[in-house]
Amino acid sequence: MSDWIAAVILGLVEGLTEFIPVSSTGHLLLTKKLLGLPSGFWDTFSVMIQLGAILAVVVIYFQRLWGVFIRLPSDPKARWFAASVLISVLPSMVVAFFAHDFIKTVLFESIGLICVMLIVGGVILLLVDRWAPTPKEDDAMNLSWKRALGVGFCQILAMVPGVSRSGATIVGGVMIGIDRRAAAEFSFFMAIPTMVGAFVLDFWENKDVLTSDNLGIIAIGFVVSFLSGLVVVKTMLDFINRFGLAPYGWWRIGAGLVGLGVLYAHGG
């Protein structure tokens, strides 16, 4: 398989799964395994193209985000929203700074762990969809600092591949009293600083891997990730409002079982 076809496939996987609670990292690692792609460059590639999906959020929410930015000096509500997002990402950034090497070299190499976490997360989504508490907040741009920080601590769980960043933050938000739509929207906003931080850290640590020969491959994955991410961000909130979290739960369980089956067939 040519590198550009692999880049398109991985870009699609990233864009389609980054913002839904099914674990984009888990799907990327499983896809990379199925395609027979080696570690090294393709691991860095997977992080680089996440910025394309994040750009989709910035484009769709540009007017609201820009409005917040220009009102920061004069509007307490704008400052509160910005502070709530920063508060929510601090826990995972601190943990990532100290545990980055362990996460990348140990956890990311365990395909069995990824499959198991996909299944466990799927079961949790089914349970939460059925027995979620009554929401107390429904505005993603005006959450209390306690709930923003609570969602932030939930995001730490997503450092285990297969858990899902969006899954951990949406489920965590719902369980502490945030409406499903607001929890999903706040997860979008959290993704911007979180993934930009991950991008910068991984870029710095792997800058020697990024050469002029493979920048074109990264560009392909970036564009595909951006375009597919646009589709998902535009449709996900309405989908969750209509169907809840259960479809994602079944998706995760199916993906995890298929992954375990493939792993078993290849002798682990």
Side-chain angles (χ1 to χ4, degrees), residues 6-18 28 49 221 224-225 228-229:
V8 169
I9 293 173
L10 291 177
L12 277 172
V13 171
E14 165 59 26
L16 294 175
T17 61
E18 177 61 48
L28 282 170
I49 64 172
V224 174
S225 172
S228 52

Side-chain angles (χ1 to χ4, degrees), residues 21-34:
V22 299
S23 179
S24 61
T25 299
H27 279 70
L28 282 170
L29 292 172
L30 288 174
T31 303
K32 186 169 71 71
K33 183 78 171 179
L34 289 172

Side-chain angles (χ1 to χ4, degrees), residues 68-203:
V68 168
F69 178 75
I70 62 176
R71 295 198 313 272
L72 281 175
S74 59
D75 187 353
K77 288 184 177 181
R79 291 196 294 270
W80 182 260
F81 168 66
S84 70
V85 173
L86 292 177
I87 288 171
S88 70
V89 302
L90 280 177
S92 58
M93 285 191 169
V94 170
V95 174
F97 180 81
F98 289 103
H100 180 263
D101 290 343
F102 173 77
I103 294 168
K104 290 294 294 290
T105 59
V106 179
L107 298 182
F108 273 44
E109 296 301 319
S110 178
I111 300 300
L113 172 65
I114 293 169
C115 295
V116 170
M117 295 313 299
L118 282 171
I119 295 170
V120 171
V123 173
I124 291 173
L125 283 178
L126 295 178
L127 295 175
V128 170
D129 194 61
R130 189 177 182 89
W131 288 295
T134 302
K136 296 179 176 61
E137 296 195 48
D138 59 5
D139 185 356
M141 302 189 78
N142 191 33
L143 298 181
S144 67
W145 72 266
K146 289 183 179 180
R147 287 197 169 89
L149 186 60
V151 175
F153 278 112
C154 291
Q155 185 170 245
I156 294 175
L157 299 173
M159 294 184 183
V160 179
V163 170
S164 169
R165 188 203 61 81
S166 58
T169 52
I170 293 172
V171 167
V174 169
M175 293 306 294
I176 61 177
I178 305 173
D179 172 76
R180 284 185 307 197
R181 184 184 182 95
E185 201 165 39
F186 192 69
S187 178
F188 292 166
F189 297 138
M190 287 178 68
I192 298 172
T194 299
M195 301 314 300
V196 168
F199 173 88
V200 171
L201 181 60
D202 213 84
F203 177 84

